[in-house]
Amino acid sequence: MAGNTFGTLFRLTTFGESHGIAIGGILDGCPAGLLMDIEFIQQQLDYRKPGQSKLTTQRKEEDQVEFLSGIFEGKTTGTPIGFLIQNKDQKSKDYSHIKDTYRPSHADFVYEEKYGNRDYRGGGRSSARETACRVVAGAIAQLLLKEEGVEIHSYVQQVGHLTLLKEFQDIDFSKTFKNDVRCPDETVAEQMEELIKSIKKDGDTIGGTIQTLVRNCPIGLGEPVFDKLHADLAKGMMSINAVKGFEYGSGFCAPEMKGSQHNDEFIRTEEGTKTKTNYSGGIQGGISNGEQIYFRTAFKPVATIMKDQDSVNKEGEKKTVKGKGRHDACVVPRAVPIVTAMTALVLADHWLRSKTSKL
Amino acid sequence: MAGNTFGTLFRLTTFGESHGIAIGGILDGCPAGLLMDIEFIQQQLDYRKPGQSKLTTQRKEEDQVEFLSGIFEGKTTGTPIGFLIQNKDQKSKDYSHIKDTYRPSHADFVYEEKYGNRDYRGGGRSSARETACRVVAGAIAQLLLKEEGVEIHSYVQQVGHLTLLKEFQDIDFSKTFKNDVRCPDETVAEQMEELIKSIKKDGDTIGGTIQTLVRNCPIGLGEPVFDKLHADLAKGMMSINAVKGFEYGSGFCAPEMKGSQHNDEFIRTEEGTKTKTNYSGGIQGGISNGEQIYFRTAFKPVATIMKDQDSVNKEGEKKTVKGKGRHDACVVPRAVPIVTAMTALVLADHWLRSKTSKL
Amino acid sequence: MAGNTFGTLFRLTTFGESHGIAIGGILDGCPAGLLMDIEFIQQQLDYRKPGQSKLTTQRKEEDQVEFLSGIFEGKTTGTPIGFLIQNKDQKSKDYSHIKDTYRPSHADFVYEEKYGNRDYRGGGRSSARETACRVVAGAIAQLLLKEEGVEIHSYVQQVGHLTLLKEFQDIDFSKTFKNDVRCPDETVAEQMEELIKSIKKDGDTIGGTIQTLVRNCPIGLGEPVFDKLHADLAKGMMSINAVKGFEYGSGFCAPEMKGSQHNDEFIRTEEGTKTKTNYSGGIQGGISNGEQIYFRTAFKPVATIMKDQDSVNKEGEKKTVKGKGRHDACVVPRAVPIVTAMTALVLADHWLRSKTSKL
Amino acid sequence: MAGNTFGTLFRLTTFGESHGIAIGGILDGCPAGLLMDIEFIQQQLDYRKPGQSKLTTQRKEEDQVEFLSGIFEGKTTGTPIGFLIQNKDQKSKDYSHIKDTYRPSHADFVYEEKYGNRDYRGGGRSSARETACRVVAGAIAQLLLKEEGVEIHSYVQQVGHLTLLKEFQDIDFSKTFKNDVRCPDETVAEQMEELIKSIKKDGDTIGGTIQTLVRNCPIGLGEPVFDKLHADLAKGMMSINAVKGFEYGSGFCAPEMKGSQHNDEFIRTEEGTKTKTNYSGGIQGGISNGEQIYFRTAFKPVATIMKDQDSVNKEGEKKTVKGKGRHDACVVPRAVPIVTAMTALVLADHWLRSKTSKL
């Protein structure tokens, strides 16, 4: 299995290389009768697209999604939703200099070893351009989840050493997309923007983290044992280009905590059974418990830098490579809609899966 | 899909509750002709079993694995390997006090909501007892990987605030199982042991982390896009009870790093193309590159504590619960063989998957 | 993928060889809250078990199913149902004479080629003994379907040249299990019995067909394109040992028919929209339409005969083989509960799958 | 799972409605390094396309396949192969008369019931137009199998009462596509053609069968138990529109045969171990044995006829429907490349699966 399908009941299969004719996908298993809000889907894509601000790569792509099937008279029909995004600004000439040389911390070397050949134009299939298809399918998943009242909020929490330290209840999520860096706090956003610009000027890149909060998730999503809800969320996030770590709830703070601190005691409220604290991150035993789900995804700095680096070519000869082309200095601003999309894909899939848990 | 199967070609399906008659599994897809080293498999189980030291729960289980099929004349036949582990020391009486009350940070509440009922004896399916089956299958995966020269080393790196800070090259992995805490450094192990004992005496529990190192992994394991090698490792680890976070390579340090620091330049050595540094953690673009793979898994403190906690029952009435029974004060010592098992399952699966990548 | 799992949401995975310690399986995905009628399940197994009449092999097996998990207080819990059937009357000595020689029309040769070795005791995994596990899971599927009012009737329609020609409405299905041959017509059953006995006396074997009728199947089961309901039924039946053909509705008569004869016109009745005729066999476009589903499964004669046959051994030397052991002269009487089981597995799976077709 | 994916390692996922913008698919899991013979692929499509002769529907479609990814410098790269076929001659006006009325023996009624709505333009997803995508992927599977020397020959064996009775060794397969009916015997082909024309003139339709022969299939393809090679072939063929039956080897003749007749004795030849006869149809115990694989697929008459038929509409009112539009009077001539494609998809998948059967 070649791994280009995600999900079990709500299933996305994608295709496409960075510099091919088009990228696209098939979303299978979306229930019939869902109203397609094309504008919402395109907006999610726009949040991801290159060239949208000074912070992002200047590759120009309209990234207009074209739906080919599965929608009739404005609603899903229950049949597979096929969609395409054309690659317009391909400029594959830019890449001839790395045809035979492996770019450090890129997938060039491993593709060559695994497949015996590679599409060297812009990284081919290993390019993050592929994630545009996830955003399309994830937007449809969001439409499905909205019917249940589920809200997903992702935002840039950290760029380099700069971190937004606010609690969720103090964050105004309507501000996230009001700045180019996708941080819902004007002051911190401005600092992050300055940092990215200075890093870029230097020809370098920088990492960051994205925080995600899910509100109103129904109780009971997630399967015990292997397909725990957080295990599938982890897989979804870790499958995004450049991601190096995932934690939910107490995460990497948990190892230092005692059970008496960490346990979330149950209380009865007007809304039903709730927990006093939420170190569990809204998931217990792999199953959503109705509390807020939250997790954090860590991104490494973009591998393409405008500096000379040592490398070797296919023949093992020493070479120097230096990024040309148009690249992001920090990936997290454009990754926000991708993280949201993967979250929505996981939740929509588990929501459908939960329909047959009991008689 | 109810999520009791792990893997695509090397597939483990498990069953069993903590206090049922037996737990067990079916391992499907193991190639024919593999020599079964039953002693090795049992040893892995022994490293996980309860009651093995003063640090672990005093539940007494022999945890003797019984193979029922798929092995003939000492070798695998290519047909499914069925196996059983009896539950001998079930003592389900211990659990009647929590029949109707939800234990904080356990899965009682979510099971009840999801399934409309639950096996309240010792957590039923949500108990970590289920992981014994993973250890059996993971040990077979290790036997398969050993044929390729792959080595997997997991060890306790952190308990509470105590952390082993040694570099891999300075660690003697033969020492890991020489102490009860499974830390390959006598001094730190002793401190960790003292900490766990004092926590236990207090009726409390503590978290920890496990570090894993994989050596000699063949180049080319992992599929681009969704089934990246580290995405499947993340899912595997996050599916283990009590895990809250996963990071590989530079992990949560990556967000603060610059590309010029983080990139692993290629060099040519006698062994072929290698990288100077290894922030990538042995995986680039989701595919193993032949360098050391390393990752870290964070565990929360065990939820069962010997202290009074507030909770509610099915009817929403306030109740007090306090752990009885026999429980671990820290889960990481017994989790070491589980983490190794899940690592082996992921690698064996991807090794088989890699066989059809090219003509 | 080694192919020991059947179904997508209602999933059976099996293990076990004819002469191993035990055979068994894991049924994953059965919804919680289903009342287990153990007697019914055991009865289905009894209909399949060897040694039950003079018509069947004299191998003595109690075939008592033992449930190990997934059932609590008489109901399914939603967790995997593990079960075992011991192999008591193994007598593996019987098989040493065919250790190195390939029995004609058995799987000995292909197993040896595929796996590089084989468990030669009674055919190992290729033995129809494995189907006992299907009967267990299929009986649980029947319990689930009964809640929806679905009825499945399978019976022996043909043995050799003898065929029961009655229309469904003229058949009293309560008679099927009242005779050893499992044909719901005393006169034809008697003739079939005589035929099988005379064939057996001669050391030979004979083929047959099983007809299946499903009543009250809900409308809407089956997925368009690849997982059409009849495509999955075909796969289910063809996966049973000794099956050579499958047809549903008009089947192999359809090629000679005209559209004007074959089309099932719609009419409105008190029960809703129905069809006048039912050449479609209750399935249109791969989806159940509420009419009776019917299909026919063709079985070849059992390969083990008590006559000398030419063969070769591993080294390619000419050998003579002759069946010893205890074998059926005709497989269809014992295959009736197996065909019913596979039908139930397919329908239960598609019933669960249909739950997410629309909002 | 919505059932739009076929195969496990060599996986085709398709999308598209009869009268949407385009149909297409993603083929995932094709090994890297396979030389793409685009002309061969297009030729297979041309054999299926509408309007190619007087025998077929006059819908005009170029059915030009456009590859969007997965191919670089003339070879597969190991990444998913995305492809499109535009729907040019859509003429959806033709179908407004059946917007609310269910065509007999079509899927209109069941789609409406299953999904709560349907794309009534030309049957939407239930149209056989979808099979064009299978032909594209099947042609790539054939290219892969050709590297192993595998040959697949499908041909029309029966139209109505007319049947070609020749043995395989007497058939010249190079003649199959030399006539419009796809029967490799000029005389019988001519008779079939006359029959179809006269049926068409009458506004009626007729059924038929397709015979398939596979030569040089490697030994060892197919998995024991559920995924037997013939079980997957059965599913593949039964998933094609209008198919009502499948048999392989002795098929529906087997029930009347004795074991002493049916068993295929082994002999030793220069080519290795072979069988004297081949009632097994090249598959034993679900695994290919190196002999010729052959099977027969039965098709019903096309449901759209140019005659008045009774039906009902959504509201249950009686209506008369009569086919308009452009339809085939007999489906088997155009189904030949589809049957071949599905055969190739099954064999290619099992060929990849067989790579990990043993160490």
Side-chain angles (χ1 to χ4, degrees):
Chain A
M1 279 218 251
N4 294 285
T5 297
F6 189 78
T8 58
L9 296 191
F10 195 86
R11 282 168 92 77
L12 171 65
T13 304
T14 68
F15 71 85
E17 279 84 46
S18 174
H19 287 65
I21 297 163
I23 58 172
I26 302 176
L27 179 62
D28 199 14
C30 185
L34 181 67
L35 206 68
M36 281 292 91
D37 181 343
I38 304 291
E39 214 168 303
F40 173 79
I41 299 168
Q42 187 59 49
Q43 185 197 53
Q44 296 295 307
L45 260 181
D46 290 348
Y47 288 151
R48 196 214 74 97
K49 84 174 175 191
Q52 59 182 296
S53 83
K54 280 170 229 152
L55 293 186
T56 61
T57 165
Q58 292 309 299
R59 176 170 172 160
K60 293 285 183 219
E61 288 290 354
E62 287 177 25
D63 278 1
Q64 197 80 32
V65 62
E66 187 185 358
F67 288 103
L68 302 172
S69 68
I71 302 170
F72 188 58
E73 298 176 342
K75 287 186 173 177
T76 56
T77 60
T79 61
I81 301 169
F83 61 87
L84 272 194
I85 301 168
Q86 306 287 336
N87 287 331
K88 301 211 162 160
D89 186 10
Q90 305 172 13
K91 293 209 181 157
S92 52
K93 286 171 257 170
D94 283 349
Y95 292 92
S96 54
H97 66 297
I98 49 127
K99 187 177 169 181
D100 298 311
T101 302
Y102 306 132
R103 292 168 299 164
S105 289
H106 274 277
D108 304 342
F109 169 67
V110 290
Y111 267 61
E112 189 94 33
E113 290 284 321
K114 185 177 184 73
Y115 298 116
N117 67 44
R118 68 182 167 102
D119 179 349
Y120 49 78
R121 300 166 305 165
R125 183 72 177 151
S126 72
S127 162
R129 177 140 187 78
E130 159 268 319
T131 58
C133 298
R134 307 184 184 207
V135 171
V136 172
I140 298 173
Q142 281 181 269
L143 292 174
L144 189 65
L145 293 165
K146 277 179 180 178
E147 304 256 319
E148 289 290 298
V150 183
E151 286 173 34
I152 305 171
H153 301 289
S154 300
Y155 60 90
V156 169
Q157 189 197 41
Q158 183 185 358
V159 171
H161 63 284
L162 296 167
T163 305
L164 174 66
L165 290 168
K166 275 184 182 172
E167 298 289 315
F168 295 133
Q169 64 267 27
D170 302 329
I171 295 179
D172 176 359
F173 293 111
S174 72
K175 290 185 177 166
T176 304
F177 290 96
K178 297 232 164 102
N179 59 65
D180 291 340
V181 88
R182 308 321 188 189
C183 174
D185 179 291
E186 292 92 342
T187 320
V188 179
E190 217 166 288
Q191 294 167 350
M192 289 173 168
E193 236 175 275
E194 286 316 305
L195 176 60
I196 296 173
K197 281 179 188 162
S198 88
I199 290 280
K200 193 175 186 176
K201 210 170 167 181
D202 200 30
D204 214 333
T205 59
I206 189 87
T209 68
I210 292 176
Q211 175 80 48
T212 303
L213 174 70
V214 181
R215 281 180 178 148
N216 299 326
C217 181
I219 302 175
L221 307 199
E223 300 294 325
V225 186
F226 299 115
D227 295 356
K228 290 183 166 83
L229 187 57
H230 57 266
D232 278 345
L233 285 168
K235 172 160 178 172
M237 302 315 134
M238 297 299 294
S239 76
I240 300 171
N241 306 45
V243 173
K244 303 299 287 184
F246 174 91
E247 61 176 4
Y248 83 107
S250 55
F252 275 93
C253 295
E256 296 210 19
M257 292 175 78
K258 290 181 186 175
S260 54
Q261 295 172 278
H262 192 281
N263 281 357
D264 298 318
E265 291 181 313
F266 286 106
I267 46 169
R268 189 71 179 185
T269 73
E270 281 178 12
E271 301 162 54
T273 297
K274 306 293 288 176
T275 63
K276 268 189 222 173
T277 50
N278 184 19
Y279 291 108
S280 297
I283 302 171
Q284 283 170 334
I287 300 168
S288 62
N289 68 352
E291 303 297 324
Q292 294 188 144
I293 294 172
Y294 59 97
F295 56 85
R296 217 159 70 100
T297 308
F299 290 77
K300 68 167 188 170
V302 172
T304 302
I305 58 175
M306 307 298 137
K307 290 171 180 283
D308 281 349
Q309 296 171 92
D310 287 345
S311 188
V312 297
N313 65 8
K314 280 191 209 182
E315 286 70 35
E317 296 160 339
K318 198 173 167 181
K319 292 280 170 182
T320 299
V321 283
K322 183 177 174 175
K324 285 191 198 175
R326 305 143 301 177
H327 294 278
D328 293 292
C330 181
V331 80
V332 284
R334 287 179 59 208
V336 169
I338 306 168
V339 165
T340 292
M342 293 311 293
T343 306
L345 286 173
V346 170
L347 293 176
D349 190 36
H350 275 285
W351 182 68
L352 294 180
R353 292 172 75 170
S354 74
K355 296 293 177 201
T356 57
S357 298
K358 60 182 167 194
L359 280 185
Chain B
M1 280 220 251
N4 294 287
T5 297
F6 190 79
T8 59
L9 296 191
F10 195 86
R11 283 168 92 78
L12 171 65
T13 305
T14 68
F15 70 86
E17 280 83 45
S18 173
H19 287 66
I21 297 164
I23 57 173
I26 302 176
L27 179 63
D28 200 15
C30 185
L34 180 67
L35 205 67
M36 281 291 93
D37 181 342
I38 304 290
E39 213 169 304
F40 173 79
I41 299 168
Q42 187 59 47
Q43 185 196 53
Q44 295 295 307
L45 260 181
D46 290 348
Y47 288 151
R48 196 215 73 99
K49 85 174 173 191
Q52 59 181 294
S53 82
K54 280 169 229 154
L55 293 185
T56 61
T57 165
Q58 291 310 300
R59 175 170 173 161
K60 293 285 181 218
E61 289 289 356
E62 286 177 25
D63 278 2
Q64 197 81 31
V65 63
E66 187 184 358
F67 288 104
L68 302 173
S69 68
I71 301 170
F72 189 57
E73 298 177 342
K75 287 186 173 179
T76 56
T77 59
T79 61
I81 300 170
F83 61 88
L84 274 194
I85 301 168
Q86 304 288 336
N87 287 332
K88 300 212 162 158
D89 187 9
Q90 305 172 14
K91 292 209 183 159
S92 53
K93 287 171 257 169
D94 282 351
Y95 292 93
S96 55
H97 66 296
I98 48 122
K99 186 176 168 180
D100 299 311
T101 302
Y102 306 131
R103 291 168 298 164
S105 289
H106 273 277
D108 304 342
F109 170 67
V110 290
Y111 268 61
E112 189 94 32
E113 291 283 321
K114 184 178 185 74
Y115 298 115
N117 68 44
R118 67 179 166 103
D119 179 347
Y120 49 77
R121 300 167 305 167
R125 183 73 175 150
S126 73
S127 162
R129 177 140 187 78
E130 158 268 321
T131 58
C133 298
R134 309 185 183 205
V135 172
V136 172
I140 298 174
Q142 281 180 269
L143 292 174
L144 189 64
L145 293 165
K146 278 178 180 179
E147 304 256 319
E148 288 291 298
V150 182
E151 283 171 37
I152 304 172
H153 301 290
S154 300
Y155 60 91
V156 169
Q157 188 196 43
Q158 183 185 357
V159 172
H161 63 284
L162 296 167
T163 305
L164 175 66
L165 291 169
K166 277 184 180 170
E167 299 289 316
F168 296 133
Q169 64 266 31
D170 301 331
I171 295 179
D172 176 358
F173 293 111
S174 72
K175 289 183 178 168
T176 303
F177 290 96
K178 296 232 164 104
N179 58 65
D180 291 340
V181 86
R182 310 318 189 190
C183 175
D185 179 291
E186 292 92 342
T187 320
V188 180
E190 216 165 289
Q191 294 167 349
M192 288 173 169
E193 234 173 279
E194 286 316 305
L195 176 59
I196 296 173
K197 281 179 189 163
S198 88
I199 291 279
K200 192 175 186 180
K201 209 168 168 184
D202 200 30
D204 215 333
T205 59
I206 189 85
T209 68
I210 291 176
Q211 175 79 48
T212 303
L213 174 70
V214 182
R215 282 184 176 144
N216 299 327
C217 182
I219 303 176
L221 307 200
E223 300 294 324
V225 187
F226 299 115
D227 296 355
K228 290 183 165 83
L229 187 58
H230 56 267
D232 278 344
L233 285 168
K235 173 161 176 170
M237 302 314 135
M238 297 298 295
S239 77
I240 300 172
N241 306 46
V243 173
K244 304 300 288 183
F246 173 90
E247 61 176 4
Y248 84 105
S250 55
F252 276 92
C253 296
E256 296 209 19
M257 292 175 78
K258 291 182 184 173
S260 54
Q261 295 173 276
H262 193 280
N263 282 356
D264 298 319
E265 291 181 313
F266 286 105
I267 47 169
R268 190 71 179 184
T269 72
E270 281 177 14
E271 300 162 57
T273 297
K274 307 293 288 176
T275 63
K276 266 190 223 175
T277 49
N278 185 18
Y279 292 108
S280 297
I283 303 171
Q284 283 170 332
I287 299 168
S288 61
N289 68 353
E291 303 297 322
Q292 294 189 144
I293 295 172
Y294 59 98
F295 55 86
R296 215 159 69 99
T297 308
F299 290 78
K300 68 168 189 171
V302 173
T304 302
I305 58 175
M306 307 298 137
K307 290 171 180 281
D308 281 348
Q309 295 173 93
D310 287 346
S311 188
V312 297
N313 65 9
K314 280 191 207 182
E315 285 68 36
E317 295 160 339
K318 197 173 167 179
K319 293 280 169 182
T320 300
V321 285
K322 183 176 172 175
K324 284 191 200 177
R326 304 144 300 176
H327 295 278
D328 292 292
C330 182
V331 80
V332 284
R334 288 180 56 208
V336 168
I338 307 169
V339 164
T340 293
M342 293 313 293
T343 306
L345 286 173
V346 171
L347 294 177
D349 190 38
H350 275 286
W351 182 68
L352 294 181
R353 291 171 75 170
S354 75
K355 297 290 176 201
T356 57
S357 299
K358 60 182 168 194
L359 281 185
Chain C
M1 279 219 252
N4 294 286
T5 296
F6 190 79
T8 56
L9 296 191
F10 195 86
R11 284 169 91 80
L12 171 65
T13 304
T14 69
F15 70 86
E17 281 84 44
S18 175
H19 287 66
I21 297 166
I23 58 173
I26 301 175
L27 178 62
D28 200 16
C30 185
L34 180 66
L35 205 67
M36 280 292 92
D37 182 341
I38 304 290
E39 215 169 303
F40 174 79
I41 299 168
Q42 187 59 48
Q43 186 196 51
Q44 296 295 307
L45 259 182
D46 289 348
Y47 288 152
R48 198 214 73 97
K49 85 175 171 191
Q52 58 181 296
S53 84
K54 281 169 228 153
L55 294 185
T56 60
T57 164
Q58 293 308 302
R59 175 169 171 162
K60 294 286 184 218
E61 287 290 354
E62 288 177 23
D63 278 3
Q64 197 80 33
V65 62
E66 189 185 357
F67 289 104
L68 303 173
S69 68
I71 301 171
F72 188 58
E73 298 176 342
K75 289 186 171 177
T76 56
T77 59
T79 61
I81 300 170
F83 62 88
L84 271 196
I85 300 169
Q86 304 288 336
N87 288 332
K88 299 210 164 163
D89 187 9
Q90 306 173 14
K91 291 207 185 159
S92 54
K93 289 170 252 168
D94 281 351
Y95 293 92
S96 54
H97 66 297
I98 48 122
K99 187 176 167 179
D100 298 310
T101 303
Y102 307 130
R103 291 167 299 163
S105 289
H106 273 278
D108 303 342
F109 171 67
V110 291
Y111 267 61
E112 189 93 34
E113 290 283 322
K114 185 178 184 73
Y115 297 115
N117 68 45
R118 67 180 167 104
D119 179 348
Y120 49 78
R121 301 165 306 164
R125 184 74 178 148
S126 72
S127 162
R129 178 141 187 77
E130 158 268 319
T131 57
C133 298
R134 307 184 185 206
V135 172
V136 172
I140 298 173
Q142 281 180 268
L143 293 173
L144 189 65
L145 293 165
K146 277 179 180 177
E147 304 256 319
E148 289 291 296
V150 182
E151 284 171 37
I152 304 172
H153 301 289
S154 301
Y155 60 92
V156 169
Q157 190 195 41
Q158 182 185 358
V159 172
H161 63 285
L162 297 167
T163 304
L164 175 66
L165 291 168
K166 278 184 179 169
E167 299 288 316
F168 295 133
Q169 64 266 30
D170 301 330
I171 294 180
D172 176 359
F173 293 112
S174 73
K175 290 184 177 165
T176 303
F177 290 98
K178 296 233 162 103
N179 59 65
D180 290 342
V181 87
R182 308 323 188 188
C183 174
D185 178 291
E186 293 91 342
T187 320
V188 179
E190 219 166 287
Q191 293 167 349
M192 288 173 168
E193 237 174 276
E194 285 317 304
L195 177 59
I196 296 173
K197 280 179 189 164
S198 88
I199 291 278
K200 192 175 184 176
K201 211 168 164 182
D202 202 29
D204 215 335
T205 59
I206 188 85
T209 67
I210 291 175
Q211 174 80 49
T212 302
L213 174 70
V214 181
R215 281 182 177 145
N216 299 326
C217 181
I219 303 175
L221 307 199
E223 300 295 325
V225 188
F226 300 115
D227 295 356
K228 290 183 165 83
L229 187 58
H230 56 267
D232 278 345
L233 285 168
K235 171 159 178 172
M237 302 314 135
M238 299 296 296
S239 77
I240 300 171
N241 305 47
V243 173
K244 304 299 290 184
F246 174 90
E247 59 177 5
Y248 84 106
S250 55
F252 275 92
C253 297
E256 296 209 18
M257 293 175 78
K258 291 182 185 173
S260 54
Q261 295 172 277
H262 193 280
N263 281 357
D264 298 319
E265 291 181 313
F266 285 106
I267 47 169
R268 189 70 179 186
T269 73
E270 280 177 12
E271 299 163 55
T273 297
K274 306 294 287 177
T275 64
K276 269 191 221 173
T277 50
N278 185 19
Y279 291 108
S280 297
I283 302 171
Q284 284 170 332
I287 299 167
S288 62
N289 69 351
E291 304 296 324
Q292 293 187 145
I293 295 172
Y294 60 98
F295 55 84
R296 216 159 68 98
T297 308
F299 290 78
K300 68 166 189 172
V302 172
T304 302
I305 58 175
M306 305 300 137
K307 290 171 180 284
D308 281 349
Q309 296 172 92
D310 287 347
S311 188
V312 297
N313 66 7
K314 281 193 209 181
E315 285 69 35
E317 296 159 340
K318 198 173 167 180
K319 292 281 169 181
T320 299
V321 282
K322 182 176 173 175
K324 285 191 200 174
R326 304 143 302 176
H327 294 278
D328 294 292
C330 181
V331 79
V332 283
R334 287 179 58 207
V336 169
I338 307 169
V339 165
T340 292
M342 294 311 294
T343 306
L345 287 173
V346 171
L347 294 176
D349 190 37
H350 276 285
W351 182 67
L352 294 180
R353 292 171 75 170
S354 74
K355 297 291 176 202
T356 57
S357 299
K358 61 183 167 194
L359 280 185
Chain D
M1 277 219 250
N4 294 287
T5 296
F6 190 79
T8 57
L9 296 192
F10 195 86
R11 283 168 92 79
L12 171 65
T13 304
T14 68
F15 70 86
E17 281 84 44
S18 175
H19 287 65
I21 297 164
I23 58 172
I26 302 175
L27 179 62
D28 199 16
C30 185
L34 181 67
L35 205 68
M36 282 291 92
D37 181 342
I38 304 290
E39 214 169 303
F40 173 79
I41 299 168
Q42 188 59 49
Q43 185 197 51
Q44 295 294 308
L45 260 181
D46 289 347
Y47 287 151
R48 198 215 72 100
K49 85 174 173 190
Q52 58 180 297
S53 83
K54 281 169 229 152
L55 293 185
T56 60
T57 166
Q58 291 310 300
R59 177 171 172 158
K60 294 284 184 221
E61 288 290 355
E62 287 177 26
D63 278 2
Q64 196 79 34
V65 63
E66 187 183 359
F67 288 103
L68 302 173
S69 67
I71 301 170
F72 187 59
E73 297 176 343
K75 288 187 173 178
T76 56
T77 58
T79 61
I81 300 170
F83 60 88
L84 271 194
I85 301 169
Q86 305 287 335
N87 287 332
K88 299 212 164 158
D89 187 9
Q90 305 172 12
K91 292 212 183 155
S92 54
K93 288 171 254 167
D94 281 353
Y95 292 92
S96 55
H97 66 298
I98 48 121
K99 185 175 169 181
D100 298 311
T101 302
Y102 306 132
R103 291 168 299 164
S105 289
H106 273 278
D108 304 343
F109 170 67
V110 291
Y111 267 63
E112 189 95 32
E113 290 284 321
K114 186 178 183 75
Y115 298 116
N117 67 45
R118 67 180 167 104
D119 179 347
Y120 49 78
R121 300 167 306 165
R125 184 72 177 150
S126 72
S127 163
R129 178 144 186 75
E130 158 268 320
T131 58
C133 298
R134 306 184 186 204
V135 173
V136 172
I140 298 173
Q142 281 180 268
L143 293 174
L144 189 63
L145 293 165
K146 278 179 180 180
E147 304 256 320
E148 288 291 298
V150 182
E151 285 173 34
I152 304 171
H153 300 289
S154 300
Y155 61 90
V156 170
Q157 189 197 43
Q158 183 186 357
V159 172
H161 63 284
L162 298 167
T163 305
L164 174 66
L165 290 169
K166 276 185 181 168
E167 299 289 317
F168 296 133
Q169 63 267 32
D170 302 331
I171 295 179
D172 176 359
F173 293 112
S174 73
K175 290 184 177 168
T176 303
F177 290 97
K178 297 233 162 101
N179 57 65
D180 291 341
V181 87
R182 309 320 189 191
C183 175
D185 177 292
E186 292 93 341
T187 319
V188 179
E190 217 166 288
Q191 293 167 348
M192 288 174 170
E193 235 174 278
E194 286 316 305
L195 176 59
I196 296 173
K197 280 180 188 161
S198 90
I199 291 279
K200 192 174 185 178
K201 209 170 169 184
D202 200 30
D204 215 334
T205 59
I206 188 85
T209 67
I210 291 174
Q211 176 79 49
T212 302
L213 174 70
V214 181
R215 281 181 178 147
N216 299 328
C217 181
I219 302 176
L221 306 200
E223 299 295 324
V225 187
F226 299 114
D227 295 356
K228 291 184 163 83
L229 187 59
H230 56 267
D232 278 345
L233 286 168
K235 173 160 177 171
M237 302 314 136
M238 297 298 295
S239 77
I240 299 172
N241 305 48
V243 173
K244 303 298 290 183
F246 173 89
E247 59 176 6
Y248 84 105
S250 55
F252 277 92
C253 296
E256 297 209 18
M257 292 176 78
K258 289 182 188 172
S260 54
Q261 295 173 278
H262 192 280
N263 280 357
D264 298 320
E265 290 182 314
F266 286 105
I267 45 170
R268 189 70 179 186
T269 73
E270 282 179 13
E271 299 162 57
T273 297
K274 306 294 287 176
T275 63
K276 269 190 220 174
T277 50
N278 185 18
Y279 292 107
S280 296
I283 303 170
Q284 284 171 332
I287 300 167
S288 61
N289 68 353
E291 304 296 323
Q292 293 188 146
I293 295 172
Y294 59 98
F295 55 85
R296 216 159 69 97
T297 308
F299 290 77
K300 68 166 189 171
V302 172
T304 303
I305 58 175
M306 306 299 138
K307 290 172 180 284
D308 281 349
Q309 297 173 93
D310 288 347
S311 189
V312 297
N313 66 7
K314 278 191 209 182
E315 286 70 33
E317 296 161 339
K318 199 173 164 178
K319 292 281 170 182
T320 300
V321 283
K322 183 177 174 177
K324 286 192 198 176
R326 305 144 300 177
H327 294 278
D328 293 292
C330 182
V331 78
V332 284
R334 288 179 57 208
V336 169
I338 306 168
V339 165
T340 292
M342 293 310 294
T343 306
L345 286 173
V346 171
L347 294 177
D349 190 36
H350 275 285
W351 182 66
L352 293 180
R353 290 170 77 171
S354 75
K355 297 290 176 204
T356 57
S357 299
K358 61 183 167 193
L359 280 185

